[in-house]
Amino acid sequence: MSKIKKLLLDETKYKITVPIIAILLSFLIGTIVMLLTGINPLGAFKALARTMTGINFDKLFTDKMFNARYVGEFLTTALPITLTGLSVAFAFRTGLFNIGAEGQLLVGAMAATVTSIMLDLPAIIHLPIVILSAALAGALWGFVPGILKAKYNVHEVVVTIMMNYTALHMTNYLLKKLPGSSLIKTVKSNPSGTLQSDFIASITNNSRLHWGIIVVGLSILVFWYIIEKTSFGFELRSVGFNPDASKYAGMKVTRNVMFSMMIAGAFAGLAGAMLSIGTFDYGRILVGFENYGFDGIAVALLGGNVAIGVLLSGLLFGGLKSAQPLMQANGVPLEIAKIISSLIVLFVAMKYGFEMWLRTYAKKQEEEGK
Amino acid sequence: MDYVIEMLNITKDFPGIRANDDVTLQVKKGEIHALLGENGAGKSTLMSILFGLYKPNKGQIKVNGKEVNIDNPHVANDLGIGMVHQHFKLVENFTVTENIILGDEPKKSFGRVDIEKARKRVKETSEKYGLSVDPDSKIEDISVGMQQRVEISKMLYRDAEILIFDEPTAVLTPQEIDDLMNIMRTFAKEGKSIILITHKLKEIKAVADTCTVLRRGKMIGSVNVADVTEKDLAEMMVGREVFFQVDKPERKQGKKIVEIKKLNVKDNRGLMAVNNLSLDIHAGEILGLAGIDGNGQTELIEALSGLRKIDSGSIALNDEDISNRSIRKITEAGVGHIPQDRHKYGLVLDFRLDENLVLQTYYKEPNSVRGILKHDEITKKAQQIIDEFDVRSGQGAMTVARSMSGGNQQKAIIGREIDRSPDFLIAAQPTRGLDVGAIEYIHSRLVAEREKERAILMISLELDEILNISDRIAVIYEGEIVGILDPKKTDEKEIGLMMSGSKRVGVANE
Ligand SMILES: Nc1ncnc2c1ncn2[C@@H]1O[C@H](COP(=O)(O)OP(=O)(O)OP(=O)(O)O)[C@@H](O)[C@H]1O
Ligand SMILES: [Mg+2]
């Protein structure tokens, strides 16, 4: 107990303790809501646990105890939002707010579909081209707000929101123009140009999980490496904290703003590939946004804009998202999962309040201690 | 005893450092009580405790003899304690009135803010104390001195009886300092009590009744100012003898390092701030630039360092034209710059100290090799500067710059710039906010750079400093150099006349 107390009172650890408190509190409130409305909270927790671990706690020690498909599906859901999370976080480290991950994701998804369908090459060349094209398309979509901000100081939030709509309508139009497209989807992608894997399907009881998991793993490493280890990352962080001092120190602030938006765009573009050549094997014509970009904002916020944080919070939000069908099966309305996700975002956004509260608590402890 | 404030046996720990160690401070009603101590001695911390920003680990606070628990600044306000911080806390794009009432807004029906009423009161207090603040100006449009008066008005608006000033004069011009001293005297006469933090012993002698001295978190003593000399105070504070004069060997002017020709530079409003200015700076000399604040010094420095575009004219370094080059190119060509505004330009406050100490060199070997940071090398470099310049902080190279004391932040910047030993060093108010011991050391380092045949341009609002270490003095008035003087053959009076534009020496009249 006293160990936990010590941790709670350590100001240098607030970056970790505050998000954890936010998560716990959200689950607590979610539980209270369920109790008040006469829903058995256990159903929700079991659903979440089963989604994330594959273990059915109602059927422990039977042959139905474990089903790897749940884990596979859960990871499949977590992949794109982890990448949009990286996208938002990367821009944020340079002091930019990338609301445009949604649009960057859409053009990335389209680029992957197009290169997958139109090219016919051996997988070893085809797949990298497809993935790269998704990243490049996203980067291009990030370049536009980047250069407008750098050259004319147009606020990136305004531009990226517009770019989201442009992306939605443009990709729908182009996908429909592809040979053989129907009104709702394109033809199947070339097997050599997809992330789908019979091997992964076979070990996860036919889930839709795909090689994208490696792409995400590498992306997290790349994010961490650029930000923490390179002199370029040093500049980005410096510009994010204090553009004036960065300029004084001779850094090219505007150029960095542009690069940062492009790299952020590339991460979101990859998220698009997770969907169009991973979860699905065709390009989808969408009626509206699917809010992967907004999920990314939540993921980045909870993850504190650092690589490992984004990974963990991507998993959590992915779990909450993919647990919804199971919750419904357990008699819990899927809104409960949404309520909990939203509460987490709300509480993390209130982190200054929490920090203050922790400090007051620390003072009290000290006074009692003496 | 009739103390208004008693802080008894206060101890405050920060990660890695005990900022206050069993400190006692007792302030009488109606007195001006100076708080003196080296950079990082714990002065700001002690005052932040009194103002409710930090909670002490140990100790007791009494206001008017009653023990109180000051949890937060609201409690301090209610007890009549007000504070002007070392770095102001104003909202840039709010008006003066809005800033003053922030957090304590007068209300009319339906909770609407009664701005008219507030305006009137702000105006009244301003007139009563001769502060001449304009209630309707935006903070971003007024001078630093005026911003300080807004902070003062804020305290008065809340009827504060105990006024804390944390290094108020560091950012002021000599004229503004005189005005502030008078304002403080008026307050004291009215029975308000003042705690004044300053590194300038002259000011303590001029206005303070009592002085409490801190050294490395500990209280050294409390003295009656009338009984001691400036030298006594300095020794109490540093713990050794302090020499106010630097040893400066005679030397001949070296070759020309910097040549500024017919330079014109515009200010933010697009008006000409530097007018046809020509000036040479030579190897092995410290050229002091004297002038009343706002006569083009800032624009000149910014043009020299590349932060501001020049309108016409040229700047040459070692016979190479560097006008309008990128800042990085100028830095690499051999220009160093200790900026006037340390929080805006000098530091990335959220970076660690080691990162701040390589702010211009992080990309070069050995700090980086092929674009990859070498953290070990960076820390090593940082440690060397920290040791050499005695930069004090809780966690050494790993300290976040924001948590360092103001003077130590300044020492870090100076250390970084001097350590690079650039051919041409621009030092804008380098010793602002430093204690006398640190000033002595920085001056000696500037002189050492001069011995290394570097050219140094020093801008200072303090004539003492200019006269003390310059080899030549250039006086700037309305963006023009109105005279070049030999410090041995001039005095404050002559410089003063030239600064106000009433006299020119050795330069052609138009
Ligand atoms: N918020 C903080 N977190 C950690 N350390 C701090 C914090 N505030 C101050 N310190 C440390 O406490 C010590 C005292 O700092 P303080 O600001 O009180 O000094 P000071 O006497 O006001 O110095 P100066 O004359 O330079 O302003 C310094 O070593 C500083 O690094
Ligand atoms: Mg201080």
Side-chain angles (χ1 to χ4, degrees), chain B residues 197-462:
Chain B
I197 300 181
T198 179
H199 290 294
K200 298 182 197 159
L201 305 170
K202 216 165 54 182
E203 293 167 6
I204 297 182
K205 282 299 284 178
V207 293
D209 305 300
T210 318
C211 178
T212 295
V213 181
L214 299 183
R215 192 193 309 154
R216 296 198 180 233
K218 291 204 176 64
M219 191 183 112
I220 300 302
S222 208
V223 292
N224 196 342
V225 173
D227 303 341
V228 290
T229 64
E230 288 183 27
K231 217 165 156 49
D232 297 334
L233 286 173
E235 282 180 34
M236 256 179 102
M237 154 179 149
V238 186
R240 63 174 167 84
E241 200 176 346
V242 180
F243 302 95
F244 293 93
Q245 206 78 34
V246 278
D247 265 340
K248 214 176 59 177
E250 271 312 307
R251 59 179 303 128
K252 272 213 270 309
Q253 215 174 45
K255 68 176 184 2
K256 204 188 287 167
I257 299 264
V258 183
E259 184 174 19
I260 305 168
K261 261 205 265 179
K262 296 210 159 91
L263 188 69
N264 286 292
V265 185
K266 286 192 179 130
D267 66 12
N268 287 343
R269 290 164 300 173
L271 304 174
M272 210 51 91
V274 175
N275 284 319
N276 249 338
L277 183 146
S278 297
L279 190 64
D280 295 336
I281 307 164
H282 298 260
E285 81 164 341
I286 299 176
L287 180 73
L289 185 68
I292 297 170
D293 200 19
N295 273 281
Q297 296 97 319
T298 308
E299 287 78 8
L300 175 63
I301 302 165
E302 289 182 354
L304 290 175
S305 58
L307 280 164
R308 187 179 287 270
K309 280 237 150 356
I310 69 176
D311 212 56
S312 64
S314 71
I315 303 164
L317 180 74
N318 292 323
D319 297 328
E320 201 184 326
D321 189 8
I322 57 162
S323 6
N324 281 339
R325 285 221 199 140
S326 77
I327 298 175
R328 168 97 1 129
K329 290 243 170 68
I330 293 175
T331 309
E332 286 180 344
V335 177
H337 175 198
I338 298 166
Q340 214 163 355
D341 188 337
R342 62 179 168 233
H343 280 183
K344 186 170 181 195
Y345 291 121
L347 293 169
V348 177
L349 286 173
D350 295 296
F351 263 7
R352 295 188 311 256
L353 179 53
D354 61 347
E355 292 172 309
N356 270 299
L357 289 175
V358 295
L359 210 54
Q360 298 104 327
T361 50
Y362 63 92
Y363 63 94
K364 281 204 215 160
E365 286 194 28
N367 298 333
S368 278
V369 178
R370 273 173 256 107
I372 310 302
L373 295 173
K374 297 287 165 211
H375 287 287
D376 292 347
E377 293 294 332
I378 292 174
T379 314
K380 211 165 86 191
K381 177 89 242 173
Q383 200 53 51
Q384 172 227 322
I385 298 178
I386 290 170
D387 293 340
E388 233 172 88
F389 287 82
D390 189 25
V391 182
R392 297 182 198 171
S393 62
Q395 289 149 309
M398 295 298 134
T399 315
V400 175
R402 192 181 288 286
S403 78
M404 292 167 52
S405 85
N408 282 296
Q409 292 175 345
Q410 181 71 9
K411 284 199 262 178
I413 298 171
I414 301 174
R416 177 181 74 204
E417 298 306 309
I418 292 186
D419 180 72
R420 287 193 293 126
S421 193
D423 285 349
F424 175 37
L425 177 65
I426 306 163
Q429 309 202 43
T431 57
R432 169 189 276 186
L434 297 189
D435 66 55
V436 286
I439 291 177
E440 185 188 11
Y441 181 70
I442 298 305
H443 282 169
S444 75
R445 286 299 301 250
L446 288 175
V447 169
E449 285 302 297
R450 163 187 181 264
E451 296 305 303
K452 281 198 241 162
E453 293 287 306
R454 308 287 185 250
I456 297 160
L457 174 66
M458 189 183 72
I459 293 90
S460 179
L461 298 178
E462 281 179 68

